[in-house]
Amino acid sequence: VTCLLHSLPSVLNVVLFGIFEFTVFGILGVQLFGGKQYSCNDRSILLRIECVGYFECIPGNYCTPPPDDDLNEPMLVERKWERDFFNFDNLL
């Protein structure tokens, strides 16, 4: 027990350095990549200007079918320019 208490200042020092490092690289990531991780829900479209209209989506390929629909029928989905789930828009 005394050994753990004696090592506590060193462990706290490492934890504080880790928090500092996370904050610095987080700020850098937000500045460099913030707002740049958007994409069209039609994965064949790469540019925002082309992400208009509708496309046929087979369920399971980035679209979910309505509850009472046939699972194998392609469905018509509106193209949307959306932010990806994993992004650099904030540190949290």
Side-chain angles (χ1 to χ4, degrees), residues 15-82:
V15 168
L16 288 176
F17 178 73
I19 291 171
F20 172 74
E21 190 175 11
F22 175 79
T23 304
V24 168
F25 282 107
I27 291 170
L28 186 64
V30 169
Q31 290 297 315
L32 290 175
F33 305 115
K36 291 183 174 62
Q37 303 229 308
Y38 282 77
S39 64
C40 189
N41 61 347
D42 180 0
R43 298 299 178 178
S44 65
I45 302 294
L46 298 177
L47 300 175
R48 183 178 188 172
I49 198 165
E50 296 174 349
C51 189
V52 292
Y54 292 86
F55 72 103
E56 280 191 0
C57 186
I58 298 169
N61 294 345
Y62 303 107
C63 63
T64 55
D68 296 329
D69 205 8
D70 187 12
L71 295 177
N72 295 325
E73 282 287 319
M75 49 192 267
L76 207 58
V77 178
E78 182 181 4
R79 287 186 178 108
K80 295 179 189 170
W81 192 256
E82 300 171 327

